[in-house]
């Protein structure tokens, strides 16, 4: 009789394995090339190919990737437990005449109009297309994680309320409160800012379009979390641009909210935790982006089509580093519970960071 419980367990394991096998059975797509776990995902492969060829210039981690990733955020963060909004529903495209006029969405109309004909051509909802384009775009950046993509967002039925998108000159308190009202914790806020590793600013200072946030804008790496921690002039005085802080690296832009989040006691240690920790940055960014990309949606009614997203190339085997001419005394320590990782500097003299060329 002692064997009865064991036999019961083995029988249960066999059933579970059979169920898993049934769930992971692959379906051949009509193109004769791809297989998927859910047939609904087959229709996405031509969309991905079109995005790579025509929107992302053959698979580059360039300006259109930066803008597409920015659009995923500006659409999805339009959600509030207290003020409403549909989240990642594509309302920023469907109701673009309203939402692109919001102050925080300055300049977003460009990528909205670039993506609009793709949405029409591929007969997708705007919410699905925006998040698909963001995930595919990030896959072109070496070092990035393979982002999740879930299919099945319905059409937006109303525009997002105004004042839900945080701005570069907002205080840490207001930024954390805005994100909390959308369901995000402070560590998740900092994880989302890993997107700035492959970002450039066109509208914070219109006199210097394409200015990157770190020295490696085509790589998804931890340099952003190192370089924002470098000492620099706090904020411009009269004549400066609202929301802009001064980076010690010529050709690089630092926005006020990044500067303050990196130094605030509520977020400084989370910020520092990504410096020279590529694996942690990848994992935390992927998890936060899944949450963002399904904000306001019922994920139980959606299909997991992550397998259509290309797997990014690994970043070059190189640790985070200090820019040439600097040393550890140039790091402004802000986390009170752990020292900043010890880094070495690039050889040579200080050089400037090149702008990201327009697409």
């Amino acid at each position: 009789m002692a064997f009865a419980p064991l036999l019961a367990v083995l029988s249960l394991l066999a059933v579970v394995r059979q169920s898993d096998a049934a769930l992971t059975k692959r379906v051949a797509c009509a193109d004769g090339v791809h297989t998927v776990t859910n047939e609904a995902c087959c229709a996405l492969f031509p969309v991905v190919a079109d995005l790579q060829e025509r929107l992302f210039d053959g698979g580059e981690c360039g300006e259109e990737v930066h803008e597409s990733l920015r659009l995923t955020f500006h659409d999805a963060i339009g959600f509030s437990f207290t003020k409403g909004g549909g989240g990642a529903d594509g309302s920023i495209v469907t109701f673009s005449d309203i939402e692109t006029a919001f102050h925080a969405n300055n300049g977003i109309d460009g990528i909205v109009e670039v993506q609009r004909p793709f949405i029409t051509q591929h007969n997708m909802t705007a919410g699905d297309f925006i998040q698909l384009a963001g995930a595919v775009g990030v896959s072109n950046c070496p070092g990035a994680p393979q982002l999740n993509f879930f299919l099945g967002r319905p059409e937006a039925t109303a525009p997002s309320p105004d004042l839900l998108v945080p701005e570069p000159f907002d205080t840490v308190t207001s930024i954390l409160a805005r994100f909390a009202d959308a369901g995000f914790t402070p560590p998740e806020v900092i994880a989302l800012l890993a997107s700035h590793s492959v970002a450039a600013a066109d509208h914070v200072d219109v006199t210097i379009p394409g200015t990157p946030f770190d020295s490696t804008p085509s790589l998804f790496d931890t340099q952003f979390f190192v370089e924002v921690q470098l000492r620099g002039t706090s904020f411009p005085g009269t004549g400066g641009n609202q929301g802009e802080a001064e980076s010690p690296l010529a050709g690089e832009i630092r926005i006020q909210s990044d500067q303050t989040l990196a130094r605030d006691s509520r977020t400084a240690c989370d910020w520092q935790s990504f410096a020279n920790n590529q694996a942690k940055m990848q994992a935390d960014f992927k998890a936060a982006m899944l949450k963002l990309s399904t904000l306001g949606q019922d994920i139980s009614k959606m299909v997991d089509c992550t397998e259509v997203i290309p797997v990014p190339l690994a970043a070059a085997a190189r640790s985070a580093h200090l820019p040439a001419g600097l040393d550890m005394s140039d790091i402004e320590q802000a986390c009170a519970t752990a020292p900043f990782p010890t880094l070495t500097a690039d050889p040579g003299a200080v050089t400037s960071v090149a702008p990201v060329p327009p697409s």
Side-chain angles (χ1 to χ4, degrees):
M1 296 298 292
F3 292 102
L6 176 60
L7 290 173
V9 170
L10 292 175
S11 297
L12 178 60
L13 286 174
V15 171
V16 169
R17 290 193 182 107
Q18 289 172 0
S19 298
D20 287 346
L23 289 172
T24 57
K25 183 179 179 181
R26 301 192 68 78
V27 177
C29 295
D31 62 9
V33 177
H34 299 99
T35 63
V36 290
T37 55
N38 190 303
E39 189 175 5
C41 302
C42 287
L44 297 176
F45 287 108
V47 187
V48 171
D50 193 29
L51 281 168
Q52 292 287 54
E53 180 182 353
R54 295 197 296 132
L55 183 60
F56 300 132
D57 300 321
E60 291 185 359
C61 181
E63 176 69 5
E64 297 300 348
V65 168
H66 306 158
E67 290 299 302
S68 294
L69 184 55
R70 180 181 179 224
L71 185 59
T72 67
F73 174 73
H74 281 248
D75 182 52
I77 202 61
F79 172 85
S80 166
F81 288 114
T82 60
K83 298 177 182 178
D89 63 353
S91 65
I92 201 166
V93 170
T94 306
F95 300 96
S96 59
D97 56 329
I98 296 173
E99 291 194 35
T100 61
F102 296 164
H103 186 271
N105 288 336
N106 178 35
I108 207 77
D109 57 320
I111 190 62
V112 164
E113 295 310 316
V114 166
Q115 288 193 9
R116 192 185 299 280
F118 285 87
I119 296 169
T120 301
Q121 176 186 340
H122 293 291
N123 195 29
M124 293 181 67
T125 67
D128 276 348
F129 186 87
I130 288 170
Q131 299 302 326
L132 178 67
V136 172
V138 169
S139 76
N140 294 326
C141 303
Q146 181 192 33
L147 295 183
N148 299 97
F149 174 71
F150 279 72
L151 177 70
R153 295 164 187 79
E155 294 286 359
T157 58
S160 165
D162 196 1
L163 305 179
L164 295 185
V165 181
E167 300 212 48
F169 49 80
D170 288 346
T171 66
V172 171
T173 296
S174 66
I175 290 170
L176 295 183
R178 169 74 276 274
F179 273 98
D181 186 37
F184 288 86
T185 65
E188 289 173 328
V189 174
I190 303 306
L192 286 173
L193 287 173
S195 62
H196 286 183
S197 171
V198 289
D202 289 323
H203 304 284
V204 175
D205 187 339
V206 296
T207 66
I208 47 171
T211 307
F213 288 83
D214 76 358
S215 59
T216 55
S218 62
L219 298 176
F220 188 89
D221 61 11
T222 66
Q223 280 303 116
F224 168 70
F225 291 99
V226 171
E227 292 170 17
V228 172
Q229 209 70 55
L230 293 171
R231 300 181 190 278
T233 303
S234 183
F235 305 118
T238 56
N241 293 281
Q242 188 179 31
E244 181 184 354
E246 235 178 80
S247 169
L249 297 182
E252 182 176 292
I253 197 166
R254 181 186 299 176
I255 60 176
Q256 178 179 321
S257 55
D258 287 344
Q259 166 102 355
T260 53
L261 284 163
R263 289 158 177 79
D264 190 278
S265 60
R266 292 165 288 184
T267 48
C269 292
D270 293 312
W271 189 283
Q272 182 176 293
S273 72
F274 294 130
N276 208 24
N277 194 335
Q278 180 80 7
K280 184 177 189 299
M281 185 178 75
Q282 288 175 325
D284 289 6
F285 179 67
K286 179 171 182 170
M289 280 298 295
L290 172 58
K291 186 172 181 176
L292 180 76
S293 69
T294 56
L295 198 59
Q297 308 303 305
D298 184 351
I299 197 170
S300 70
K301 296 180 179 179
M302 302 172 75
V303 178
D304 185 353
C305 291
T306 300
E307 59 194 321
V308 310
I309 306 301
V311 177
L313 295 173
R318 184 186 186 196
S319 299
H321 54 278
L322 296 170
L326 303 182
D327 58 39
M328 287 301 298
S329 67
D330 292 298
I331 293 289
E332 188 173 5
Q333 175 72 32
C335 176
T337 58
F340 201 85
T342 300
L343 306 174
T344 57
D346 283 344
V350 177
T351 57
S352 62
V353 181
V356 174
S359 58

